Amino acid sequence: MEVPRLDHHMSSPTSPCEDVIKNLSLEAIQLCDRDGNKSQDSGIAEMEELPVPHNIKISNITCDSFKISWDMDSKSKERITHYFIDLNKKENKNSNKFKHKDVPTKLVAKAVPLPMTVRGHWFLSPRTEYTVAVQTASKQVDGDYMVSEWSEIIEFCTADYSKVHLTQLLEKAEVIAGRMLKFSVFYRNQHKEYFDYIREQHGSILQPSVKDNSGSHGSPISGKLEGIFFSCNTEFNTGKPPQDSPYGRYRFEIAAEKLFNPNTNLYFGDFYCMYTAYHYVILVLAPAGSPGDEFCKQRLPQLNLQDNKFLTCTEEDGVMIFHHAQDVILEVIYTDPVDLSLGTVAEITGHQLMSLSTANAKKDPSCKTCNISVGR
């Protein structure tokens, strides 16, 4: 049986609709707004006899799709030929007041058995709150539409990237990872006051904290995973960590095998850029069986410790050898506490390059290298 299609109506639609919605079909018509108003040439009329959708239910939510169903009175139900769906991003009180507002998305679907699936990466973004309302319609022989009143407005939030989406990001990151370079330490830069605070208030134990919202908007680790950020990139000519850092002039260094060994699991977390030529890959190191490991196991693609394009741990003649990808900047999150006594803290000789900080950095949604065909 041929799969019907769904389309959306925006001021300047630019995407094809072949993959938008399964179980739906759309027609290009103008829609009335939720208050029942219509333009003079809209071809839409009101018809009180058509049942008004109520008790709307949203289910099977992903980062770029959802299923919708509702109840209707049986009166004149057989006359319904179409459903109109009004989908809008929920207004954010903290949003930029000078930024243009998102264009509301109007969906027109042929009447099909409920629930029906709404899918479209150009009008649905991950981890985003939306409002939705529905009305029923009956297409007349002259092309006009009789419509019911709008249903109540309900709210829902789309989901994070799934493992399938993250695997797509992983595969794009592998393309530009480059050759592997040896390294021997993980390091973390901060200000002197930070390390003084850790010694005085936390008994010299670095404590995991919730990851910020930097990177892909749909990343399942943002705002949820607790960990400690480390770097491991080295300078090509010295094989050692760079002397510059955006995060502070004091550096904690710890031998790589203390954090990365056969007793830890490695996960791919994200791939992004910040409107620059630099690309970042977020990896997660989690001690096997730890709470962080259980969190990642359910949400992130797991990498082979000895064979992947980003960070490897192998053994040669009884010695652990470590390599990192040369052409991406790795941000490694370790999910357990770390004792400062396991490494050293010293001042670096380079500069603090604030422009390279990724704290709460927003991903460039237009970059073809690090974006996939779902919400950004």
Side-chain angles (χ1 to χ4, degrees):
M1 182 177 67
E2 182 181 0
V3 178
R5 302 179 300 155
L6 179 73
D7 199 0
H8 71 295
H9 295 266
M10 303 176 69
S11 58
S12 56
T14 58
S15 302
C17 62
E18 280 75 10
D19 64 341
V20 182
I21 295 214
K22 295 179 179 178
N23 305 327
L24 299 183
S25 175
L26 300 200
E27 295 187 7
I29 64 170
Q30 291 178 289
L31 300 178
C32 61
D33 62 26
R34 286 177 179 167
D35 297 324
N37 300 320
K38 55 184 177 60
S39 61
Q40 291 181 348
D41 60 348
S42 66
I44 297 179
E46 294 184 2
M47 182 175 182
E48 295 180 358
E49 289 78 7
L50 287 177
V52 179
H54 61 275
N55 194 25
I56 297 175
K57 300 182 182 69
I58 302 292
S59 61
N60 297 83
I61 301 172
T62 72
C63 65
D64 63 351
S65 69
F66 63 91
K67 285 188 176 182
I68 185 170
S69 63
W70 56 82
D71 297 331
M72 291 182 292
D73 295 333
S74 58
K75 179 181 177 182
S76 300
K77 189 174 180 179
E78 70 281 353
R79 301 185 62 185
I80 298 173
T81 62
H82 292 78
Y83 301 135
F84 295 170
I85 302 174
D86 189 10
L87 182 69
N88 296 277
K89 282 187 179 180
K90 187 177 178 182
E91 184 178 356
N92 184 355
K93 295 180 179 179
N94 298 321
S95 61
N96 186 344
K97 294 182 179 180
F98 298 99
K99 182 182 177 182
H100 73 275
K101 291 187 176 182
D102 292 297
V103 178
T105 298
K106 310 288 187 178
L107 307 178
V108 184
K110 284 186 176 179
V112 295
L114 302 176
M116 60 183 179
T117 300
V118 179
R119 176 177 292 111
H121 68 261
W122 59 89
F123 59 82
L124 282 174
S125 298
R127 198 184 285 198
T128 302
E129 292 183 327
Y130 289 91
T131 62
V132 65
V134 185
Q135 67 180 174
T136 58
S138 176
K139 189 173 184 178
Q140 308 300 294
V141 293
D142 60 1
D144 284 353
Y145 283 82
M146 298 294 186
V147 297
S148 72
E149 294 181 2
W150 283 104
S151 70
E152 75 274 19
I153 298 173
I154 68 164
E155 301 176 359
F156 71 99
C157 184
T158 48
D160 299 331
Y161 284 161
S162 67
K163 280 188 179 181
V164 172
H165 300 117
L166 288 173
T167 299
Q168 294 175 19
L169 270 183
L170 163 64
E171 292 170 350
K172 291 181 77 73
E174 288 177 335
V175 174
I176 69 162
R179 70 186 184 114
M180 304 292 279
L181 300 178
K182 279 188 178 182
F183 77 101
S184 59
V185 298
F186 289 102
Y187 55 94
R188 174 177 174 83
N189 277 72
Q190 284 288 348
H191 300 286
K192 180 178 182 299
E193 294 76 14
Y194 168 84
F195 291 109
D196 290 341
Y197 176 80
I198 295 299
R199 294 187 186 95
E200 296 168 5
Q201 301 297 324
H202 293 282
S204 295
I205 305 295
L206 292 171
Q207 296 292 338
S209 59
V210 177
K211 182 194 171 298
D212 64 12
N213 289 316
S214 60
S216 300
H217 187 58
S219 172
I221 62 178
S222 293
K224 296 180 180 179
L225 177 67
E226 293 188 355
I228 306 167
F229 265 108
F230 285 92
S231 299
C232 64
N233 288 81
T234 58
E235 292 182 325
F236 175 75
N237 56 340
T238 66
K240 297 180 180 180
Q243 282 301 307
D244 300 322
S245 169
Y247 301 108
R249 293 184 56 82
Y250 281 77
R251 174 174 293 167
F252 170 60
E253 288 190 3
I254 184 171
E257 60 264 25
K258 299 290 185 181
L259 305 183
F260 190 24
N261 55 64
N263 295 319
T264 56
N265 287 325
L266 177 65
Y267 298 91
F268 173 85
D270 200 4
F271 177 44
Y272 70 100
C273 70
M274 303 179 297
Y275 303 90
T276 67
Y278 301 109
H279 276 87
Y280 298 80
V281 170
I282 298 180
L283 303 175
V284 182
L285 280 174
S290 66
D293 188 37
E294 293 302 315
F295 177 95
C296 295
K297 192 174 297 183
Q298 299 174 26
R299 298 169 177 84
L300 307 180
Q302 186 169 352
L303 302 178
N304 187 310
L305 301 186
Q306 301 178 359
D307 184 18
N308 68 80
K309 299 289 187 180
F310 311 109
L311 192 72
T312 61
C313 168
T314 57
E315 186 174 336
E316 298 179 13
D317 300 325
V319 179
M320 301 299 293
I321 305 297
F322 303 92
H323 290 84
H324 71 81
Q326 175 185 0
D327 294 340
V328 292
I329 300 175
L330 297 181
E331 298 180 304
V332 181
I333 301 176
Y334 188 75
T335 62
D336 270 15
V338 176
D339 195 325
L340 288 180
S341 66
L342 296 176
T344 60
V345 177
E347 187 174 5
I348 60 174
T349 58
H351 302 284
Q352 184 172 348
L353 305 176
M354 295 302 296
S355 61
L356 294 181
S357 172
T358 61
N360 286 305
K362 299 305 178 186
K363 180 174 182 174
D364 178 2
S366 65
C367 178
K368 295 182 179 179
T369 300
C370 61
N371 280 293
I372 56 177
S373 295
V374 294
R376 307 299 184 236

